[in-house]
Amino acid sequence: MDVSRYRLRQAVEKGILDAGQAERLWEFLKDSDVDTPGFRFTHILYYLGGLMAIGAMSLFMTLGWESFGGWGLFGIAVAYALAGFLLAENFLHKRRLPIPAGIIATFVVALTPLAIYGFQEAMGWWAEGRVYRDYHVYIDWRWIFMELGTLAAGVIMLWRYRLPFLVMPVAATLWYMSMDLTPFIFGQADATWELRKLVSLWSGVVIILVALWFDIRTRSEKDYAFWLYIFGVTALWGGLSLMRSDSELNKFLYFCINMLLIFCGAALRRRVFAVFGGLGAAGYLGYLSWNVFKDSLLFPFALTFIGLGVIWMGIIWQRNENAIAQKLRGFLPQPLRDLVDRRG
């Protein structure tokens, strides 16, 4: 539920609050929300600058940096990490700015693969044919030490700072590892794409369950599960959507799974489920329109009536929401009930 100054004015006009109470409540809400990430210009600048710096040391790394050599890359990564650590300490403990502190701490974690790659290159342990910028592009089992190091750095920084944005590189690395470990898990030197899609799907399921566990266990206002849900749903939906099937039953099952994602998003108040579920459902309806019923006169009419029926279901739900919600909550275990209540 969004609370705006306009709504507080409406409450004053209806006599629920007086003007002084409304103003004090607004100041309290504004001050308590200042360190919660949101779509504010200041926060946009924080994240834009932070993601540019992180991208410069990862996704947007140029081949020219290979000329620094192994020790050069290692030294630059360590120097940047030390500067980032001191800056994060200053932002968090002296300036009381947790959002930029979390972004800078994440930048430090993002430097870990570069430092490990530089050290391996300097020691002559890195095979020819791969450069650092390939780490974020190609699947290769040789990245495993860089990934393990990144996970360790992420856990240490998260333990020290307790800032939710630090979960982002951890979640991304878990996804990377699921792909790079596929040949070892299945004993194949060159795993097929079909196998990698399957691994991506089940890795997504595991990451989502970990996110749900964090969601249930975390009692603070900080959202540690956010990035785990993002990468988990992306891995699950990506692996599922890229799978090919000639069976109409399997395609319909794909549609049902996407609808389930939408309902999960509504129950958990997580938009990422609804976004990907909506894309998948729309894709299946597009498939029906362009392939199965491409010459049908009735399909658009039927789909229109189904859509109107869904709207009518929404009206019925709104009228009886409290009673229905209470009945459905009775089927949930207590930890999930508490989670739904907190996020409601």
Side-chain angles (χ1 to χ4, degrees):
M1 179 182 304
D2 294 326
V3 179
S4 63
R5 190 187 285 268
Y6 173 73
R7 288 201 169 189
L8 292 180
R9 286 201 202 102
Q10 287 182 314
V12 172
E13 291 171 1
K14 291 184 177 182
I16 300 172
L17 299 172
D18 62 42
Q21 289 175 327
E23 188 61 29
R24 289 193 298 273
L25 179 59
W26 175 251
E27 290 299 323
F28 167 76
L29 293 174
K30 187 173 66 172
D31 292 342
S32 63
D33 205 37
V34 69
D35 293 329
T36 301
F39 199 72
R40 306 178 186 85
F41 186 66
T42 303
H43 292 182
I44 291 172
L45 293 179
Y46 285 160
Y47 284 104
L48 177 62
L51 290 175
M52 288 173 65
I54 292 169
M57 293 293 106
S58 55
L59 290 171
F60 310 128
M61 177 68 68
T62 64
L63 290 173
W65 271 53
E66 294 295 322
S67 62
F68 286 117
W71 287 121
L73 292 174
F74 178 78
I76 292 171
V78 171
Y80 268 33
L82 180 59
F85 179 78
L86 294 175
L87 197 57
E89 288 283 315
N90 179 271
F91 281 161
L92 186 62
H93 299 300
K94 291 186 178 180
R95 300 180 183 270
R96 306 297 179 186
L97 296 169
I99 293 178
I103 294 170
I104 297 299
T106 302
F107 172 69
V108 173
V109 176
L111 288 165
T112 306
L114 178 62
I116 295 175
Y117 171 83
F119 180 77
Q120 289 177 320
E121 182 72 19
M123 298 300 291
W125 297 343
W126 194 249
E128 296 293 333
R130 281 280 185 255
V131 293
Y132 174 70
R133 67 179 294 169
D134 293 342
Y135 174 64
H136 299 280
V137 180
Y138 297 106
I139 296 172
D140 194 321
W141 64 268
R142 291 174 293 183
W143 307 126
I144 190 65
F145 290 107
M146 296 160 68
E147 291 162 348
L148 290 173
T150 304
L151 284 179
V155 170
I156 291 171
M157 295 294 279
L158 189 58
W159 169 78
R160 177 170 181 80
Y161 291 110
R162 301 288 201 277
L163 297 171
F165 194 58
L166 279 164
V167 179
M168 188 268 284
V170 174
T173 303
L174 287 173
W175 187 15
Y176 283 13
M177 285 185 68
S178 70
M179 295 292 98
D180 294 331
L181 285 173
T182 300
F184 290 97
I185 296 172
F186 294 95
Q188 300 182 27
D190 186 19
T192 64
W193 274 109
E194 291 302 318
L195 182 57
R196 293 190 188 279
K197 294 171 191 175
L198 188 63
V199 171
S200 178
L201 187 155
W202 287 108
S203 298
V205 171
V206 171
I207 294 174
I208 290 171
L209 291 176
V210 171
L212 183 61
W213 181 83
F214 267 97
D215 232 355
I216 292 172
R217 293 293 300 272
T218 303
R219 300 290 178 175
S220 69
E221 295 181 358
K222 295 178 180 178
D223 191 359
Y224 292 100
F226 175 82
W227 287 104
L228 290 169
Y229 280 125
I230 291 286
F231 282 95
V233 174
T234 302
L236 184 154
W237 188 86
L240 184 67
S241 299
L242 290 174
M243 290 180 175
R244 294 184 178 180
S245 173
D246 296 327
S247 167
E248 293 298 331
L249 179 60
N250 286 342
K251 288 182 172 64
F252 177 70
L253 181 60
Y254 170 79
F255 171 73
C256 293
I257 292 173
N258 279 279
M259 294 302 296
L260 180 61
L261 287 178
I262 294 174
F263 286 114
C264 286
L268 297 175
R269 301 293 196 274
R270 296 289 179 177
R271 292 185 181 92
V272 63
F273 287 92
V275 169
F276 280 97
L279 289 174
Y284 176 74
L285 294 176
Y287 161 77
L288 291 180
S289 174
W290 284 86
N291 294 276
V292 179
F293 299 109
K294 62 180 180 180
D295 298 319
S296 172
L297 294 174
L298 296 178
F299 180 74
F301 291 108
L303 193 58
T304 300
F305 282 111
I306 291 172
L308 294 174
V310 172
I311 293 174
W312 181 248
M313 286 175 59
I315 294 172
I316 295 174
W317 177 276
Q318 184 177 13
R319 289 176 178 174
N320 304 276
E321 183 172 3
N322 290 333
I324 297 173
Q326 287 295 333
K327 289 182 180 179
L328 291 178
R329 285 179 76 256
F331 295 103
L332 296 176
Q334 189 61 44
L336 281 179
R337 289 188 211 173
D338 296 339
L339 174 62
V340 171
D341 289 341
R342 288 203 310 272
R343 296 202 60 82

